[in-house]
Amino acid sequence: MTTERPPSQGRRLVALPATVWAAVALPFISIVLALLVGSIVILASEVIVPGHPFDVTLPVTAYAALFEGAFGGLDPIVNTIRAATPLVLAGLAVGLAFKAGLFNIGAQGQFLLGALGSVTVGVALNQASPFIAIPAALLAGMLAGAAWGFIPGFLKAISGAHEVVTTIMLNYVAVSVIAWAVSGPLDQPGSPSPITAQVGNAALPVIIGRNGHLGVLVALAAVLAVGWLLFRTTRGFEIRTVGANPDAARYAGMQPRLIVVLTMSLAGVLAGLAGATVVLGVTHYMMASFGTTVGFDSIAVALLGRSSPVGIVFAAILFGAMRAGAPLMQIQTGSLIPAELVDVLQATILLFLAAHEVIRHILKLRGVKAGLETTDTIARTYGRESV
Amino acid sequence: MTSDVQVTQAPALEMRGITKRYPGVLANAGISLDVRPGEIHALLGENGAGKTTLMNILYGLARPDAGEILVDGTPVEITSPHDAIAHRISMVHQHFMLVPVLSVSDNILLGEEPMAGPIFLDRARAHRRIRELGKTFGWEIDPDQRVESLSVGWQQRVEILKALYRNARILVLDEPTAVLTPQETKEIFAVLRRLRAEGYAIIFISHKLHEVLEIADRITVIRRGKVVGSRTPAATNEEDLAEMMVGREVNLTADRGTSHPGEVILRVEQVRVKDDRRSEVVQGVDLEVRSGEILGIAGVAGNGQDELVEAIVGLRRPSSGRIELAGRDVTHAGPRQRHRLGVGFVPADRHRFGLVLSFPLTDNFILTDYYEPPYARGIIRNEAAIDARARRGIRDYDVRTPSATVTTGTLSGGNQQKLIVAREFDGEQRLLVLDQPTRGLDVGSIEFIHGQTIAKRDAGTAILLVSAELDEVLELSDRIAVIYRGQIVAVRDGRTADKNEIGILMATGGSGASGSPSSPAA
Ligand SMILES: Nc1ncnc2c1ncn2[C@@H]1O[C@H](COP(=O)(O)OP(=O)(O)OP(=O)(O)O)[C@@H](O)[C@H]1O
Ligand SMILES: [Mg+2]
């Protein structure tokens, strides 16, 4: 072995692209492959739907419309940002938990509880000064989410109950809690169907375009905060150590159980904040059935972003763009391609990510970062006793 | 055992001019090596010399930048373990590659599943073959047993069976004896001799020079990625090999000098500890270690020493008994509290407790001190101080690495061990608990670590040393306690102890073992 002292500049320049490629190759390839699969689906649907001339270029038309709907002008861009905002926050909730070796499938439930918490306080303070109402409503969302994250963390710490199971169950409970709250205590008297009052002054102000609300700044602040926590603080070091090697964490004098509770609670804060930005920034009220899949999409976002705060931002923008561009795609293809194609794309990306070993093998990828630490985490922790 | 006929035989395997560069490291610089059928070729070299890298290239786990591999004289392309297996090359890795939660048979069959028809596994047939294969070596193998419940020695056997099950003719063993007891080593050697007689070509890596001299037909030494020479055992000796490896004369025995024991630092009273399977493996141990002395624990692996050590450092709760550190009762204190009282710990299983392999070296250097100044101010990490710490450790303990920020998993096994020792020996400790501190280290590093251990002792640290190497215990210890079935059966003076007697005590527990464990009179 020879330890070299290379001219530092020269090597950095060569090494950097290689490391970046190692990190992004798999997500990037998954996206490309998903788009290919998407085109096959588009072509196939042309064949299936009768009375339509076969157009080989339809996939290109569809994707172009998708892109235009997402980025072709200020309004589309704002729509993309609006869709990406909660995905960033909930994606962080999943990603942070992954860092601690936890699979937080409960982002959906934490999201819902966060929405409920902020709508409750928002409605109560809808006449108060925005400077009080907005922070109070956001805080309520964070706390409600935190509580919903704390429960599975606590259960895991005291009994080893696997968070995958408990968070899934809590997602169902969250749906019921919302249905009860919105049709019960929070119901606006006199409305035909259960619905809360408006959040009024607690609504997040519009800061870009026609309806780009303050939530995007909240999300960016959260990205910075999570990145700082993970990589600049001792707490983050504990979280990462517990995730990477719980035995070594014990050896180092850390307390894995406490870290599990803390991390799940923080994840709840983030997912709760996602719910808060949607209620306070977009809908301004809440219905008994709050139709959203943000909490589930965020799992894909965290996987695609490799649980890194920056990666999650890019993944969320991609997913947000698909949501934002989908309607235009449907219109420009004469409704031949429904907006739901986006779901197919997202699911396919996830599928390729999960099957990364296969991709690595078939494409003979070398020097590409192996597993998403995430899927390995699941394989490692599932069916094992507690930390 | 090698007959002259075999020497003239064509090599089963030939590696020519193998070169492999990792960022900042030339791990192999044009290495050529061959093995003939019926030959055991030993590979020696310092930690980080490039042995594992060379074998990884042979096994398709790494791609060489230059060079070629010939099997039976024909050049072959090996891009994956799959190719290697197809060329009948098999490998027992330095760090085992078994799936702990799977059964023995599943581990052996992984990637090589015997099919009965297109869908179903033919388990019955596979089980039969595994059992038969084991029997040929006198091993009673239960194919259904989970690998995690096996001792290291048996895991090693599973690794070997796995290699043979795939009809390998070329067998690579990377430090197979590092984790074995002397008895197990003997058994493995018997197996290797048999395989040699059957015409297997074997590459054997070890840092234990006496083993290499005992088993090898040919010894090749590499240093810093280059071959420095080849010898036959008849034409060399330990000193010569050590010098070839390290490039200087190595003192193979430590000079322990005289000790000046002070007050009692560690007191263990009637401690009982259960293992993971809840059977009591430490059954009422009494120990005392004084400042300025080394207490060595001699024992055949699996007699409770690992659990005892884990109880002493706070990783395992004793079911009864009392542990005192410098006069304070720490029986129920966690690892952090004990660490703060001045306990350093080198664990036997470096991958389980000692390191986070996916972290850079810097983070592993501060793994136990990360929350304290200067590495943290409040909860904020001080990267500059962390970096400086890592650099100091790398320099002082000669950890071979291109930089302090590479992933720890890329270090060679011995250099990972040096990192742990560098971390735990740093600063001032009241008590150092060393469980197999030199496992996987080259002779030069062992010399260095032994020197450091003695220096620590002379500076007043109490040292508890556990080692499967009886020679290491005999060489370093001021007192030797023999552990047998969870009890201390004898305590001897380290300078006058008789190796044979200790060996017998380790194996049998002595005559009066069952009743009263001898008191560890200081
Ligand atoms: N995947 C990798 N990435 C970067 N560097 C590596 C990698 N694998 C090995 N190296 C470097 O190559 C050198 C040779 O390592 P190798 O593991 O071959 O040593 P070794 O001779 O087996 O040592 P030991 O006796 O300690 O096991 C080391 O400096 C190591 O840091
Ligand atoms: Mg090695």
Side-chain angles (χ1 to χ4, degrees):
Chain A
M1 187 209 76
T2 310
T3 308
E4 300 170 341
R5 291 246 162 277
S8 57
Q9 268 307 310
R11 217 187 94 233
R12 281 259 169 73
L13 289 177
V14 188
L16 189 66
T19 45
V20 170
W21 172 244
V24 304
L26 222 50
F28 181 76
I29 291 168
S30 301
I31 294 167
V32 171
L33 288 177
L35 289 175
L36 284 177
V37 170
S39 358
I40 296 171
V41 171
I42 293 172
L43 293 175
S45 56
E46 280 191 85
V47 177
I48 296 164
V49 177
H52 189 88
F54 189 77
D55 174 9
V56 203
T57 63
L58 192 62
V60 180
T61 318
Y63 289 153
L66 190 62
F67 187 82
E68 201 191 329
F71 298 108
L74 183 62
D75 277 352
I77 289 177
V78 168
N79 282 339
T80 296
I81 293 174
R82 259 162 64 103
T85 297
L87 287 173
V88 170
L89 287 163
L92 288 173
V94 180
L96 180 69
F98 270 137
K99 286 285 183 195
L102 299 164
F103 194 6
N104 179 18
I105 300 191
Q108 178 75 9
Q110 295 145 19
F111 173 95
L112 290 176
L113 258 285
L116 181 64
S118 59
V119 88
T120 309
V121 171
V123 167
L125 296 179
N126 60 9
Q127 305 298 325
S129 148
F131 291 102
I132 294 170
I134 293 174
L138 286 176
L139 190 67
M142 284 157 55
L143 289 178
W148 223 242
F150 170 84
I151 298 170
F154 182 71
L155 290 176
K156 176 155 193 161
I158 60 162
S159 72
H162 202 282
E163 73 280 1
V164 165
V165 177
T166 50
T167 53
I168 288 178
M169 297 199 303
L170 281 168
N171 284 344
Y172 288 106
V173 179
V175 171
S176 310
V177 168
I178 293 215
W180 163 79
V182 174
S183 56
L186 292 180
D187 190 18
Q188 168 95 305
S191 57
S193 63
I195 186 172
T196 70
Q198 293 275 334
V199 294
N201 284 350
L204 297 176
V206 170
I207 55 167
I208 17 173
R210 259 188 307 148
N211 53 11
H213 58 81
L214 188 70
V216 61
L217 294 185
V218 173
L220 289 180
V223 169
L224 294 178
V226 170
W228 178 81
L229 171 75
L230 276 176
F231 300 108
R232 293 275 171 268
T233 71
T234 55
R235 204 52 86 203
F237 183 63
E238 292 177 341
I239 291 174
R240 290 185 290 124
T241 305
V242 168
N245 184 347
D247 285 324
R250 251 167 18 92
Y251 166 93
M254 302 170 183
Q255 294 181 287
R257 288 161 201 262
L258 265 182
I259 296 296
V260 162
V261 177
L262 175 80
T263 308
M264 282 307 292
S265 304
L266 283 179
V269 166
L270 291 161
L273 207 46
T277 62
V278 170
V279 166
L280 303 176
V282 182
T283 62
H284 298 151
Y285 64 86
M286 207 164 164
M287 291 190 300
S289 66
F290 192 60
T292 170
T293 57
V294 166
F296 295 122
D297 293 349
S298 64
I299 297 172
V301 166
L303 282 168
L304 191 58
R306 281 187 176 281
S307 301
S308 112
V310 176
I312 286 171
V313 171
F314 283 106
I317 291 174
L318 177 76
F319 274 40
M322 287 198 213
R323 287 271 166 253
L328 189 68
M329 175 183 70
Q330 180 163 353
I331 293 167
Q332 294 205 350
T333 56
S335 284
L336 185 66
I337 306 304
E340 282 73 21
L341 178 74
V342 169
D343 293 323
V344 175
L345 291 177
Q346 294 186 353
T348 317
I349 292 175
L350 199 57
L351 195 67
F352 282 122
L353 281 175
H356 60 92
E357 278 304 335
V358 180
I359 294 187
R360 277 155 54 84
H361 189 72
I362 293 174
L363 298 183
K364 297 229 182 297
L365 296 177
R366 281 181 183 273
V368 163
K369 245 191 214 164
L372 307 155
E373 56 193 278
T374 37
T375 43
D376 301 341
T377 295
I378 303 161
R380 192 154 45 81
T381 62
Y382 205 82
R384 217 223 224 164
E385 277 180 43
S386 87
V387 283
Chain B
M1 276 203 193
T2 20
S3 67
D4 292 333
V5 185
Q6 283 164 324
V7 176
T8 55
Q9 229 170 337
L13 169 77
E14 211 181 334
M15 299 179 85
R16 283 188 194 154
I18 301 289
T19 300
K20 174 72 186 179
R21 182 182 296 276
Y22 286 113
V25 189
L26 192 54
N28 288 173
I31 295 187
S32 296
L33 186 80
D34 63 72
V35 218
R36 301 182 196 103
E39 182 188 42
I40 298 180
H41 192 156
L43 204 51
L44 271 181
E46 284 182 285
N47 296 127
K51 306 178 295 292
T52 299
T53 304
L54 186 68
M55 293 306 112
N56 282 344
I57 288 169
L58 176 61
Y59 197 57
L61 289 169
R63 294 283 286 153
D65 300 321
E68 57 175 350
I69 299 173
L70 293 86
V71 173
D72 294 328
T74 355
V76 294
E77 186 81 2
I78 299 177
T79 59
S80 72
H82 202 80
D83 295 343
I85 292 165
H87 291 294
R88 305 182 68 185
I89 301 170
S90 240
M91 178 145 160
V92 176
H93 298 268
Q94 183 170 2
H95 301 111
F96 293 166
M97 301 265 182
L98 298 170
V99 186
V101 296
L102 292 186
S103 70
V104 168
S105 64
D106 286 346
N107 266 288
I108 292 177
L109 302 179
L110 212 59
E112 194 79 350
E113 298 83 358
M115 304 306 278
I119 296 171
F120 295 103
L121 280 174
D122 189 351
R123 246 172 223 284
R125 185 164 55 99
H127 281 201
R128 224 176 310 122
R129 245 198 88 191
I130 290 169
R131 275 213 189 82
E132 278 162 15
L133 205 55
K135 275 212 192 92
T136 59
F137 300 108
W139 301 338
E140 282 298 330
I141 293 268
D142 173 9
D144 285 320
Q145 196 164 1
R146 275 210 200 193
V147 160
E148 63 185 350
S149 67
L150 294 176
S151 72
V152 215
W154 278 98
Q155 292 191 17
Q156 180 80 264
R157 290 178 189 138
V158 173
E159 284 275 16
I160 292 175
L161 283 184
K162 187 167 139 189
L164 300 182
Y165 188 88
R166 295 169 183 197
N167 293 318
R169 298 302 286 176
I170 300 165
L171 192 58
V172 177
L173 300 112
D174 194 352
E175 298 195 32
T177 58
V179 292
L180 297 187
T181 63
Q183 184 54 37
E184 288 170 325
T185 300
K186 255 187 212 155
E187 287 175 34
I188 292 292
F189 277 10
V191 170
L192 293 186
R193 289 204 177 93
R194 242 188 63 195
L195 295 176
R196 167 168 65 190
E198 286 171 22
Y200 282 78
I202 298 169
I203 299 179
F204 174 80
I205 299 177
S206 173
H207 287 294
K208 300 180 190 171
L209 304 177
H210 63 95
E211 288 182 354
V212 168
L213 288 170
E214 180 189 337
I215 191 90
D217 302 302
R218 211 159 26 128
I219 303 165
T220 293
V221 178
I222 61 176
R223 191 194 319 150
R224 297 187 178 251
K226 292 198 186 76
V227 173
V228 280
S230 283
R231 298 277 188 278
T232 58
T236 186
N237 56 39
E238 292 195 22
E239 286 74 24
D240 178 40
L241 288 174
E243 196 174 333
M244 275 172 83
M245 271 172 68
V246 185
R248 63 177 164 86
E249 221 175 286
V250 180
N251 205 344
L252 292 173
T253 48
D255 175 16
R256 98 188 95 187
T258 46
S259 65
H260 304 283
E263 80 274 31
V264 173
I265 298 293
L266 173 72
R267 175 172 284 136
V268 174
E269 283 173 5
Q270 280 303 307
V271 162
R272 293 174 177 273
V273 191
K274 293 190 170 126
D275 69 1
D276 293 335
R277 277 167 270 165
R278 298 192 190 284
S279 67
E280 194 165 78
V281 289
V282 177
Q283 306 179 338
V285 162
D286 290 305
L287 281 179
E288 270 181 16
V289 191
R290 293 173 176 269
S291 105
E293 76 161 348
I294 301 176
L295 174 69
I297 295 193
V300 176
N303 275 278
Q305 47 277 67
D306 287 342
E307 287 78 8
L308 175 63
V309 158
E310 285 173 26
I312 288 172
V313 299
L315 284 168
R316 197 179 278 274
R317 191 153 293 178
S319 42
S320 71
R322 184 180 158 90
I323 299 172
E324 256 177 39
L325 200 67
R328 290 166 70 160
D329 182 355
V330 294
T331 315
H332 302 289
R336 168 74 48 88
Q337 272 168 288
R338 297 187 206 206
H339 183 69
R340 299 197 78 142
L341 285 171
V343 179
F345 175 41
V346 175
D349 187 341
R350 56 179 167 245
H351 285 180
R352 179 169 175 213
F353 287 119
L355 296 169
V356 182
L357 291 177
S358 56
F359 283 179
L361 270 56
T362 43
D363 282 344
N364 276 306
F365 267 106
I366 54 143
L367 191 60
T368 45
D369 297 325
Y370 67 94
Y371 60 95
E372 281 180 327
Y375 310 123
R377 297 191 202 97
I379 63 157
I380 317 278
R381 278 158 58 93
N382 180 353
E383 303 295 338
I386 294 171
D387 201 58
R389 168 75 191 90
R391 279 166 197 283
R392 181 159 53 84
I394 289 169
R395 190 191 60 220
D396 293 351
Y397 284 76
D398 187 27
V399 179
R400 303 277 169 88
T401 176
S403 84
T405 50
V406 297
T407 307
T408 307
T410 68
L411 287 189
S412 81
N415 282 297
Q416 293 174 6
Q417 185 71 15
K418 286 198 250 175
L419 193 170
I420 298 177
V421 173
R423 178 180 68 212
E424 299 302 317
F425 275 48
D426 188 57
E428 282 179 17
Q429 294 82 16
R430 282 206 177 95
L431 172 69
L432 266 179
V433 179
L434 311 178
D435 199 355
Q436 323 296 343
T438 57
R439 181 175 275 175
L441 293 188
D442 65 45
V443 282
S445 307
I446 291 177
E447 177 194 27
F448 177 69
I449 301 296
H450 283 175
Q452 291 294 310
T453 308
I454 290 164
K456 278 281 168 196
R457 179 200 69 185
D458 291 342
T461 303
I463 295 174
L464 181 67
L465 168 73
V466 179
S467 176
E469 298 293 312
L470 183 51
D471 285 334
E472 181 168 53
V473 174
L474 285 166
E475 244 172 64
L476 290 178
S477 310
D478 300 310
R479 285 189 303 134
I480 298 174
V482 181
I483 193 169
Y484 179 75
R485 298 208 176 147
Q487 297 186 334
I488 303 292
V489 293
V491 179
R492 295 287 181 267
D493 184 278
R495 284 168 185 77
T496 57
D498 174 53
K499 187 173 178 181
N500 280 330
E501 190 209 355
I502 303 273
I504 291 168
L505 286 167
M506 284 166 57
T508 64
S511 43
S514 44
S516 60
S518 340
S519 98

